[in-house]
Amino acid sequence: MQENNTQGTDISTLGEFGLIKHLSKNVKLSQATTHKGIGDDAAVLNQTGKKTIVTTDLLVEGIHFDLMYTPLRHLGYKAIVVNVSDVYAMNAEPKQVTVSLAISKRFTVEAIDEIYEGIHMACEKYNVDLVGGDTTSSLTGLCISVTAIGEADEDKIAYRSGAQVNDLICVTGDLGAAYAGLQLLDREKRIFENNPEIQPDLTGHDYILERQLKPEARKDIFESLQDAKIVPTSMIDISDGLSSELFHICEKSNVGCQIYEEKIPIDFETHKMAEELNMNYSIFALNGGEDYELLFTVPLDKFEEIEKMADVKVVGHICEASKGKYMVARDGTEIALQAQGWTNFTE
């Protein structure tokens, strides 16, 4: 298990302004819409006539991540990913991010550098500019707040409220792997705490561990939709489990939904982890969360185009609100969906 770095440069030797200067020295700007980045009271962005998309996520130690098994570099990377994923979920392109940190005294400059290595890696991969943020002290641990800014043509934006009856329900990638990885890490942590001489056994679980510790946003799907000139009627990213996200779309669009358990894409390692824990792997996908895949709806006449799209699966369809929200199980029975969400599922 990971141990916090207790040897290194005390942050107090730099001071707040010195830390900001230290963290911003490697920042490079690449977006034409970035007029002024770090260094003033606010960033300045050139408006291009498109709509501006803004989203913010807060990651709190002990709630959203556990530093006993989360590498700091991965944490920085994930903090960016979860925000740009929200921009892609609007069918928009992320352009800039701001990062704010609340840091306790147990973190050294080198530890913060590790976080920022991950931040810079993600910014480079998703081609976004780091244009500002804030730093402050914390009495309880580490908090990371990221705001992502994107842009899109008005007629290309996908809201949660546009789903229509008979639309196809589509998901990207596979679901439940991030939650499977979290269950594995929590299990090994408990074993380690009870007997520190026992080394964690994580062999054979590389995929679900990466999905939990270093997820990716679906930039490729955003680009595929652009290339196919498909604008989803509704879209959302899967951060709280498939059931909760379907509820959001159905409630905003005033519709119902029917999905099929056998069509939900689930990776072999997720199956394996569920079996080890004696749990139904479909529950991982429905209520696990943190997959950061995309859930979207398209008109029925887009079926052939969607079928040709890599890593996209049709899992059901939209129906009238009066029919409710349910899943057809493998044995043909209809099960009402529940919006448990990731947080409630882990209580």
Short mmCIF file of all heavy atoms in Angstrom, two decimals, residues 173-216:
data_model
loop_
_atom_site.label_atom_id
_atom_site.label_comp_id
_atom_site.label_asym_id
_atom_site.label_seq_id
_atom_site.Cartn_x
_atom_site.Cartn_y
_atom_site.Cartn_z
N GLY A 173 -18.02 1.89 -23.92
CA GLY A 173 -17.11 1.08 -23.12
C GLY A 173 -17.79 -0.05 -22.38
O GLY A 173 -18.67 -0.73 -22.90
N ASP A 174 -17.37 -0.27 -21.14
CA ASP A 174 -17.99 -1.26 -20.27
C ASP A 174 -18.22 -0.62 -18.90
O ASP A 174 -17.59 0.38 -18.56
CB ASP A 174 -17.12 -2.52 -20.14
CG ASP A 174 -15.75 -2.22 -19.57
OD1 ASP A 174 -15.62 -2.12 -18.34
OD2 ASP A 174 -14.79 -2.09 -20.36
N LEU A 175 -19.12 -1.20 -18.13
CA LEU A 175 -19.56 -0.57 -16.88
C LEU A 175 -19.26 -1.46 -15.67
O LEU A 175 -19.22 -2.68 -15.76
CB LEU A 175 -21.07 -0.29 -16.95
CG LEU A 175 -21.54 0.55 -18.14
CD1 LEU A 175 -23.05 0.78 -18.07
CD2 LEU A 175 -20.80 1.87 -18.22
N GLY A 176 -19.06 -0.80 -14.54
CA GLY A 176 -18.88 -1.51 -13.27
C GLY A 176 -17.43 -1.79 -12.91
O GLY A 176 -17.15 -2.20 -11.78
N ALA A 177 -16.50 -1.57 -13.83
CA ALA A 177 -15.10 -1.92 -13.57
C ALA A 177 -14.48 -1.04 -12.49
O ALA A 177 -13.69 -1.52 -11.67
CB ALA A 177 -14.29 -1.82 -14.87
N ALA A 178 -14.81 0.25 -12.50
CA ALA A 178 -14.24 1.15 -11.49
C ALA A 178 -14.68 0.75 -10.09
O ALA A 178 -13.89 0.77 -9.13
CB ALA A 178 -14.64 2.59 -11.78
N TYR A 179 -15.95 0.37 -9.95
CA TYR A 179 -16.44 -0.06 -8.64
C TYR A 179 -15.81 -1.38 -8.23
O TYR A 179 -15.48 -1.59 -7.05
CB TYR A 179 -17.96 -0.18 -8.65
CG TYR A 179 -18.53 -0.52 -7.30
CD1 TYR A 179 -18.57 0.44 -6.29
CD2 TYR A 179 -18.99 -1.80 -7.02
CE1 TYR A 179 -19.07 0.13 -5.03
CE2 TYR A 179 -19.50 -2.11 -5.76
CZ TYR A 179 -19.54 -1.15 -4.77
OH TYR A 179 -20.03 -1.46 -3.54
N ALA A 180 -15.60 -2.27 -9.20
CA ALA A 180 -14.92 -3.53 -8.91
C ALA A 180 -13.51 -3.26 -8.40
O ALA A 180 -13.04 -3.89 -7.44
CB ALA A 180 -14.88 -4.41 -10.16
N GLY A 181 -12.82 -2.31 -9.04
CA GLY A 181 -11.48 -1.95 -8.60
C GLY A 181 -11.48 -1.38 -7.20
O GLY A 181 -10.58 -1.67 -6.39
N LEU A 182 -12.47 -0.56 -6.88
CA LEU A 182 -12.58 0.01 -5.54
C LEU A 182 -12.82 -1.06 -4.50
O LEU A 182 -12.22 -1.03 -3.41
CB LEU A 182 -13.73 1.03 -5.51
CG LEU A 182 -13.99 1.71 -4.16
CD1 LEU A 182 -12.79 2.53 -3.73
CD2 LEU A 182 -15.25 2.59 -4.24
N GLN A 183 -13.67 -2.04 -4.82
CA GLN A 183 -13.92 -3.13 -3.88
C GLN A 183 -12.65 -3.93 -3.61
O GLN A 183 -12.37 -4.32 -2.47
CB GLN A 183 -15.01 -4.05 -4.43
CG GLN A 183 -16.39 -3.43 -4.51
CD GLN A 183 -16.87 -2.94 -3.15
OE1 GLN A 183 -17.04 -3.73 -2.23
NE2 GLN A 183 -17.08 -1.65 -3.02
N LEU A 184 -11.86 -4.15 -4.65
CA LEU A 184 -10.60 -4.88 -4.49
C LEU A 184 -9.64 -4.11 -3.60
O LEU A 184 -9.04 -4.68 -2.68
CB LEU A 184 -9.97 -5.11 -5.87
CG LEU A 184 -8.56 -5.69 -5.88
CD1 LEU A 184 -8.53 -7.08 -5.23
CD2 LEU A 184 -8.02 -5.75 -7.31
N LEU A 185 -9.48 -2.82 -3.85
CA LEU A 185 -8.57 -2.00 -3.06
C LEU A 185 -9.00 -1.92 -1.60
O LEU A 185 -8.18 -2.01 -0.68
CB LEU A 185 -8.46 -0.60 -3.67
CG LEU A 185 -7.72 -0.52 -5.00
CD1 LEU A 185 -7.98 0.82 -5.68
CD2 LEU A 185 -6.22 -0.73 -4.79
N ASP A 186 -10.29 -1.76 -1.38
CA ASP A 186 -10.80 -1.70 0.00
C ASP A 186 -10.58 -3.02 0.73
O ASP A 186 -10.25 -3.04 1.92
CB ASP A 186 -12.28 -1.34 -0.01
CG ASP A 186 -12.52 0.15 -0.18
OD1 ASP A 186 -11.57 0.94 -0.01
OD2 ASP A 186 -13.66 0.54 -0.51
N ARG A 187 -10.77 -4.12 0.01
CA ARG A 187 -10.56 -5.45 0.62
C ARG A 187 -9.10 -5.63 1.03
O ARG A 187 -8.81 -6.05 2.16
CB ARG A 187 -10.98 -6.54 -0.35
CG ARG A 187 -10.84 -7.95 0.24
CD ARG A 187 -11.08 -9.02 -0.80
NE ARG A 187 -9.98 -9.11 -1.77
CZ ARG A 187 -9.99 -9.91 -2.82
NH1 ARG A 187 -11.03 -10.69 -3.06
NH2 ARG A 187 -8.95 -9.95 -3.64
N GLU A 188 -8.19 -5.30 0.12
CA GLU A 188 -6.78 -5.47 0.41
C GLU A 188 -6.31 -4.50 1.50
O GLU A 188 -5.41 -4.83 2.28
CB GLU A 188 -5.95 -5.30 -0.86
CG GLU A 188 -6.22 -6.36 -1.92
CD GLU A 188 -6.00 -7.77 -1.40
OE1 GLU A 188 -4.95 -8.02 -0.77
OE2 GLU A 188 -6.89 -8.62 -1.61
N LYS A 189 -6.91 -3.32 1.57
CA LYS A 189 -6.58 -2.37 2.63
C LYS A 189 -6.96 -2.93 3.99
O LYS A 189 -6.17 -2.85 4.95
CB LYS A 189 -7.30 -1.04 2.39
CG LYS A 189 -7.11 -0.03 3.52
CD LYS A 189 -7.97 1.20 3.33
CE LYS A 189 -7.89 2.12 4.54
NZ LYS A 189 -8.74 3.32 4.39
N ARG A 190 -8.14 -3.51 4.09
CA ARG A 190 -8.58 -4.08 5.37
C ARG A 190 -7.66 -5.22 5.81
O ARG A 190 -7.30 -5.34 6.99
CB ARG A 190 -10.03 -4.57 5.26
CG ARG A 190 -11.05 -3.45 5.15
CD ARG A 190 -12.46 -3.98 5.35
NE ARG A 190 -12.83 -4.92 4.32
CZ ARG A 190 -13.41 -4.60 3.17
NH1 ARG A 190 -13.67 -3.32 2.90
NH2 ARG A 190 -13.73 -5.52 2.29
N ILE A 191 -7.27 -6.05 4.84
CA ILE A 191 -6.36 -7.16 5.16
C ILE A 191 -5.03 -6.62 5.65
O ILE A 191 -4.47 -7.10 6.65
CB ILE A 191 -6.16 -8.06 3.92
CG1 ILE A 191 -7.46 -8.77 3.55
CG2 ILE A 191 -5.04 -9.08 4.17
CD1 ILE A 191 -7.40 -9.52 2.24
N PHE A 192 -4.50 -5.59 4.98
CA PHE A 192 -3.22 -4.99 5.34
C PHE A 192 -3.28 -4.35 6.73
O PHE A 192 -2.35 -4.46 7.52
CB PHE A 192 -2.85 -3.95 4.29
CG PHE A 192 -1.54 -3.26 4.55
CD1 PHE A 192 -0.33 -3.89 4.28
CD2 PHE A 192 -1.51 -1.97 5.08
CE1 PHE A 192 0.88 -3.25 4.52
CE2 PHE A 192 -0.32 -1.33 5.33
CZ PHE A 192 0.89 -1.97 5.05
N GLU A 193 -4.39 -3.67 7.02
CA GLU A 193 -4.53 -3.02 8.33
C GLU A 193 -4.58 -4.04 9.46
O GLU A 193 -4.06 -3.79 10.55
CB GLU A 193 -5.78 -2.15 8.35
CG GLU A 193 -5.64 -0.88 7.50
CD GLU A 193 -6.93 -0.08 7.45
OE1 GLU A 193 -8.01 -0.68 7.61
OE2 GLU A 193 -6.86 1.15 7.24
N ASN A 194 -5.20 -5.19 9.21
CA ASN A 194 -5.28 -6.24 10.23
C ASN A 194 -3.97 -6.99 10.39
O ASN A 194 -3.66 -7.47 11.48
CB ASN A 194 -6.40 -7.22 9.88
CG ASN A 194 -7.78 -6.60 10.03
OD1 ASN A 194 -7.98 -5.70 10.85
ND2 ASN A 194 -8.73 -7.05 9.21
N ASN A 195 -3.21 -7.07 9.30
CA ASN A 195 -1.92 -7.78 9.35
C ASN A 195 -0.97 -7.14 8.35
O ASN A 195 -0.91 -7.55 7.19
CB ASN A 195 -2.10 -9.26 9.04
CG ASN A 195 -0.84 -10.06 9.31
OD1 ASN A 195 0.25 -9.50 9.47
ND2 ASN A 195 -0.98 -11.38 9.36
N PRO A 196 -0.20 -6.12 8.77
CA PRO A 196 0.70 -5.40 7.86
C PRO A 196 1.77 -6.26 7.21
O PRO A 196 2.40 -5.83 6.23
CB PRO A 196 1.34 -4.34 8.77
CG PRO A 196 0.38 -4.17 9.90
CD PRO A 196 -0.21 -5.53 10.11
N GLU A 197 1.99 -7.47 7.71
CA GLU A 197 2.99 -8.35 7.12
C GLU A 197 2.49 -9.01 5.85
O GLU A 197 3.29 -9.53 5.04
CB GLU A 197 3.41 -9.41 8.13
CG GLU A 197 4.13 -8.86 9.36
CD GLU A 197 4.56 -9.94 10.31
OE1 GLU A 197 4.30 -11.13 10.00
OE2 GLU A 197 5.15 -9.62 11.35
N ILE A 198 1.18 -8.99 5.63
CA ILE A 198 0.61 -9.59 4.43
C ILE A 198 0.60 -8.56 3.31
O ILE A 198 0.01 -7.48 3.43
CB ILE A 198 -0.83 -10.09 4.68
CG1 ILE A 198 -0.84 -11.17 5.77
CG2 ILE A 198 -1.45 -10.62 3.39
CD1 ILE A 198 -2.23 -11.68 6.10
N GLN A 199 1.28 -8.84 2.23
CA GLN A 199 1.34 -7.93 1.10
C GLN A 199 0.05 -8.02 0.26
O GLN A 199 -0.51 -9.11 0.10
CB GLN A 199 2.55 -8.26 0.22
CG GLN A 199 3.88 -7.96 0.87
CD GLN A 199 4.00 -6.48 1.25
OE1 GLN A 199 3.80 -5.60 0.41
NE2 GLN A 199 4.31 -6.21 2.52
N PRO A 200 -0.41 -6.90 -0.25
CA PRO A 200 -1.64 -6.91 -1.06
C PRO A 200 -1.51 -7.81 -2.28
O PRO A 200 -0.44 -7.86 -2.90
CB PRO A 200 -1.78 -5.44 -1.49
CG PRO A 200 -1.00 -4.67 -0.48
CD PRO A 200 0.14 -5.55 -0.08
N ASP A 201 -2.57 -8.52 -2.61
CA ASP A 201 -2.59 -9.40 -3.78
C ASP A 201 -3.48 -8.76 -4.84
O ASP A 201 -4.70 -8.87 -4.78
CB ASP A 201 -3.12 -10.78 -3.39
CG ASP A 201 -3.13 -11.74 -4.58
OD1 ASP A 201 -2.51 -11.40 -5.62
OD2 ASP A 201 -3.75 -12.81 -4.48
N LEU A 202 -2.85 -8.10 -5.79
CA LEU A 202 -3.59 -7.39 -6.83
C LEU A 202 -3.38 -8.01 -8.21
O LEU A 202 -3.81 -7.43 -9.22
CB LEU A 202 -3.15 -5.91 -6.86
CG LEU A 202 -3.28 -5.15 -5.54
CD1 LEU A 202 -2.72 -3.74 -5.69
CD2 LEU A 202 -4.73 -5.09 -5.06
N THR A 203 -2.74 -9.17 -8.25
CA THR A 203 -2.42 -9.80 -9.53
C THR A 203 -3.70 -10.18 -10.28
O THR A 203 -4.69 -10.61 -9.69
CB THR A 203 -1.56 -11.06 -9.31
OG1 THR A 203 -2.26 -11.95 -8.41
CG2 THR A 203 -0.21 -10.69 -8.74
N GLY A 204 -3.63 -10.01 -11.61
CA GLY A 204 -4.76 -10.39 -12.45
C GLY A 204 -5.89 -9.39 -12.47
O GLY A 204 -6.96 -9.67 -13.03
N HIS A 205 -5.67 -8.23 -11.86
CA HIS A 205 -6.75 -7.23 -11.78
C HIS A 205 -6.31 -5.87 -12.31
O HIS A 205 -6.81 -4.83 -11.88
CB HIS A 205 -7.22 -7.08 -10.33
CG HIS A 205 -7.83 -8.31 -9.74
ND1 HIS A 205 -9.01 -8.84 -10.21
CD2 HIS A 205 -7.42 -9.12 -8.74
CE1 HIS A 205 -9.31 -9.93 -9.50
NE2 HIS A 205 -8.35 -10.12 -8.60
N ASP A 206 -5.38 -5.87 -13.26
CA ASP A 206 -4.83 -4.60 -13.76
C ASP A 206 -5.90 -3.68 -14.32
O ASP A 206 -5.89 -2.47 -14.10
CB ASP A 206 -3.78 -4.87 -14.83
CG ASP A 206 -2.52 -5.52 -14.27
OD1 ASP A 206 -2.41 -5.60 -13.03
OD2 ASP A 206 -1.67 -5.95 -15.06
N TYR A 207 -6.84 -4.27 -15.07
CA TYR A 207 -7.84 -3.43 -15.76
C TYR A 207 -8.75 -2.71 -14.78
O TYR A 207 -8.94 -1.49 -14.89
CB TYR A 207 -8.67 -4.29 -16.71
CG TYR A 207 -9.72 -3.49 -17.45
CD1 TYR A 207 -9.36 -2.55 -18.41
CD2 TYR A 207 -11.08 -3.67 -17.18
CE1 TYR A 207 -10.33 -1.80 -19.08
CE2 TYR A 207 -12.04 -2.93 -17.84
CZ TYR A 207 -11.66 -2.00 -18.80
OH TYR A 207 -12.62 -1.25 -19.45
N ILE A 208 -9.31 -3.43 -13.81
CA ILE A 208 -10.25 -2.78 -12.90
C ILE A 208 -9.53 -1.80 -11.98
O ILE A 208 -10.11 -0.80 -11.55
CB ILE A 208 -11.08 -3.80 -12.09
CG1 ILE A 208 -10.18 -4.69 -11.22
CG2 ILE A 208 -11.95 -4.64 -13.01
CD1 ILE A 208 -10.96 -5.63 -10.30
N LEU A 209 -8.26 -2.05 -11.68
CA LEU A 209 -7.49 -1.11 -10.87
C LEU A 209 -7.27 0.19 -11.62
O LEU A 209 -7.41 1.29 -11.07
CB LEU A 209 -6.16 -1.72 -10.46
CG LEU A 209 -6.22 -2.84 -9.42
CD1 LEU A 209 -4.85 -3.49 -9.26
CD2 LEU A 209 -6.72 -2.31 -8.08
N GLU A 210 -6.92 0.08 -12.90
CA GLU A 210 -6.70 1.29 -13.70
C GLU A 210 -7.99 2.07 -13.87
O GLU A 210 -8.00 3.30 -13.84
CB GLU A 210 -6.12 0.93 -15.07
CG GLU A 210 -5.79 2.16 -15.91
CD GLU A 210 -4.99 1.85 -17.15
OE1 GLU A 210 -4.68 0.65 -17.37
OE2 GLU A 210 -4.67 2.78 -17.89
N ARG A 211 -9.10 1.36 -14.02
CA ARG A 211 -10.39 2.04 -14.18
C ARG A 211 -10.77 2.84 -12.93
O ARG A 211 -11.44 3.86 -13.02
CB ARG A 211 -11.48 1.01 -14.49
CG ARG A 211 -11.32 0.35 -15.84
CD ARG A 211 -11.85 1.19 -16.96
NE ARG A 211 -13.31 1.20 -16.94
CZ ARG A 211 -14.07 1.87 -17.80
NH1 ARG A 211 -13.51 2.61 -18.72
NH2 ARG A 211 -15.38 1.82 -17.72
N GLN A 212 -10.34 2.37 -11.77
CA GLN A 212 -10.61 3.10 -10.54
C GLN A 212 -9.60 4.20 -10.30
O GLN A 212 -9.98 5.33 -9.96
CB GLN A 212 -10.60 2.13 -9.36
CG GLN A 212 -10.63 2.79 -7.98
CD GLN A 212 -11.79 3.72 -7.74
OE1 GLN A 212 -11.64 4.78 -7.13
NE2 GLN A 212 -12.97 3.35 -8.24
N LEU A 213 -8.33 3.92 -10.48
CA LEU A 213 -7.28 4.87 -10.11
C LEU A 213 -6.93 5.86 -11.21
O LEU A 213 -6.51 6.98 -10.92
CB LEU A 213 -6.02 4.10 -9.70
CG LEU A 213 -6.16 3.20 -8.47
CD1 LEU A 213 -4.88 2.40 -8.27
CD2 LEU A 213 -6.48 4.02 -7.22
N LYS A 214 -7.08 5.45 -12.46
CA LYS A 214 -6.70 6.34 -13.58
C LYS A 214 -7.71 6.18 -14.72
O LYS A 214 -7.40 5.62 -15.78
CB LYS A 214 -5.28 6.00 -14.05
CG LYS A 214 -4.71 6.97 -15.08
CD LYS A 214 -3.26 6.59 -15.41
CE LYS A 214 -2.71 7.44 -16.55
NZ LYS A 214 -3.33 7.07 -17.86
N PRO A 215 -8.91 6.66 -14.53
CA PRO A 215 -9.93 6.54 -15.58
C PRO A 215 -9.62 7.48 -16.75
O PRO A 215 -8.77 8.36 -16.65
CB PRO A 215 -11.22 6.96 -14.86
CG PRO A 215 -10.75 7.92 -13.81
CD PRO A 215 -9.41 7.39 -13.35
N GLU A 216 -10.33 7.26 -17.84
CA GLU A 216 -10.19 8.13 -19.01
C GLU A 216 -11.56 8.67 -19.41
O GLU A 216 -12.58 7.99 -19.25
CB GLU A 216 -9.59 7.36 -20.19
CG GLU A 216 -8.20 6.78 -19.94
CD GLU A 216 -7.11 7.83 -19.86
OE1 GLU A 216 -7.39 9.02 -20.10
OE2 GLU A 216 -5.95 7.46 -19.53
#
